[in-house]
């Protein structure tokens, strides 16, 4: 276990033909040599509540990990695909490679891409698993539904009980991506929607008593506020 906030800048470890490096800006990066290695090493990056981290995968794919999230990936991609597993929320800018599809697994849902920018919100306390496409093309495969193609500006929503994919047109990508840019942004959000994000970022537990207001909340604020 390496605590990245406290780790020194430079090489942190060597795994097979991959070097794990902490960059001067605090991000984590992998450098893979041409040397062959039959052994596959898997790493898991985890952020606590109130934490956020940026990672460059061995293929050059950029990953931004939101608070209370994790991603598991090999230190070097081998075989005919690039597959990672996430919990929580992550934004991907996938390095193009038509010979190796990029796959993101979340429980029994798989997002397949060839080169694109997209966000996956898979927090277990949310009402649905949401995959929002900003650029490119992805295919979402859910356990109880046929694969569905998602186009830029669309969001694929998968209900926890149905396992079916629902496509939402005109997703508000500014609101969805506000976390990556250091902000909260809400549009027609319920109080519970807002407080789930507040709880994850500020590491607090919300206790509801009595009737919950059904007022709709709109607004934006920085996540650097106390």
């Amino acid at each position: 276990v390496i605590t990245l906030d406290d780790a020194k800048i430079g090489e942190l470890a060597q795994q097979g033909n991959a070097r794990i490096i902490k960059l001067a800006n605090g991000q984590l990066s992998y450098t893979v040599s041409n040397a062959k290695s039959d052994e596959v090493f898997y790493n898991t990056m985890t952020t606590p509540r109130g934490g956020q981290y940026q990672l460059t995968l061995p293929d050059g794919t950029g990953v931004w990990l939101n608070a209370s999230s994790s991603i598991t990936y090999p230190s070097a991609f081998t075989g005919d695909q690039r597959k990672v597993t996430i919990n929580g929320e992550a934004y991907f800018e996938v390095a193009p490679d038509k010979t190796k599809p990029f796959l993101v697994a979340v429980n029994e849902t798989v997002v397949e891409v060839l080169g694109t920018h997209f966000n996956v919100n898979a927090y277990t306390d949310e009402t649905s698993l949401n995959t929002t496409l900003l650029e490119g093309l992805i295919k979402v495969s859910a356990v109880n539904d046929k694969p569905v193609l998602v186009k830029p500006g669309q969001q694929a929503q998968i209900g926890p009980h149905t396992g079916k994919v629902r496509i939402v047109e005109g997703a508000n990508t500014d609101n969805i991506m506000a976390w990556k840019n250091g902000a909260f942004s809400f549009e027609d959000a319920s109080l519970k929607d807002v407080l789930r994000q507040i709880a994850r970022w500020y590491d607090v537990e919300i206790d509801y008593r009595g009737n919950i207001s059904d007022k709709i909340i709109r607004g934006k604020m920085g996540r650097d506020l106390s």
Side-chain angles (χ1 to χ4, degrees):
V1 176
I2 299 174
T3 303
L4 293 174
D5 285 347
D6 300 333
K8 68 181 189 311
I9 295 170
E11 184 171 329
L12 301 180
Q14 175 89 33
Q15 292 180 325
N17 60 343
R19 295 169 59 230
I20 307 173
I21 300 169
K22 182 179 178 180
L23 304 177
N25 59 7
Q27 299 173 18
L28 198 65
S29 180
Y30 286 72
T31 301
V32 181
S33 68
N34 293 326
K36 295 289 185 180
S37 177
D38 295 330
E39 191 172 4
V40 179
F41 297 88
Y42 285 92
N43 293 174
T44 297
M45 174 180 283
T46 302
T47 55
R49 286 187 169 195
Q52 189 173 324
Y53 213 85
Q54 188 174 344
L55 161 72
T56 301
L57 295 175
D59 65 335
T61 291
V63 182
W64 287 255
L65 208 58
N66 202 352
S68 192
S69 302
S70 69
I71 180 170
T72 299
Y73 53 92
S75 59
F77 289 109
T78 59
D80 57 359
Q81 65 182 23
R82 300 168 286 166
K83 187 175 183 178
V84 302
T85 302
I86 73 160
N87 290 295
E89 185 167 22
Y91 169 70
F92 293 85
E93 292 187 354
V94 178
D97 185 347
K98 293 183 178 180
T99 66
K100 288 186 178 184
F102 192 93
L103 306 176
V104 179
V106 188
N107 297 327
E108 296 179 308
T109 297
V110 176
V111 179
E112 179 180 348
V113 310
L114 288 175
T116 191
H117 299 181
F118 63 99
N119 189 79
V120 181
N121 183 323
Y123 288 114
T124 55
D125 59 353
E126 292 292 340
T127 56
S128 61
L129 190 161
N130 301 327
T131 302
T132 309
L133 183 63
L134 283 75
E135 180 182 307
L137 187 69
I138 60 176
K139 180 168 66 176
V140 177
S141 301
V143 61
N144 292 329
D145 210 345
K146 60 185 179 181
V148 176
L149 289 177
V150 182
K151 299 176 181 178
Q154 292 181 334
Q155 182 179 84
Q157 298 181 348
I158 303 174
H161 304 297
T162 65
K164 298 283 188 180
V165 181
R166 172 175 172 259
I167 297 296
V168 176
E169 301 285 350
N172 190 327
T173 55
D174 287 342
N175 279 9
I176 293 165
M177 295 312 306
W179 70 267
K180 174 179 170 286
N181 301 317
F184 294 102
S185 185
F186 304 107
E187 183 72 26
D188 295 336
S190 70
L191 180 63
K192 284 191 173 183
D193 289 338
V194 171
L195 290 182
R196 279 196 298 270
Q197 291 195 41
I198 295 292
R200 283 192 290 265
W201 185 246
Y202 291 105
D203 191 14
V204 294
E205 296 293 336
I206 308 298
D207 182 22
Y208 295 98
R209 298 179 183 178
N211 296 325
I212 308 304
S213 170
D214 58 1
K215 290 182 178 179
I216 296 301
I217 296 172
R218 301 181 182 90
K220 186 173 182 177
M221 67 179 187
R223 298 214 299 184
D224 58 345
L225 297 173
S226 62

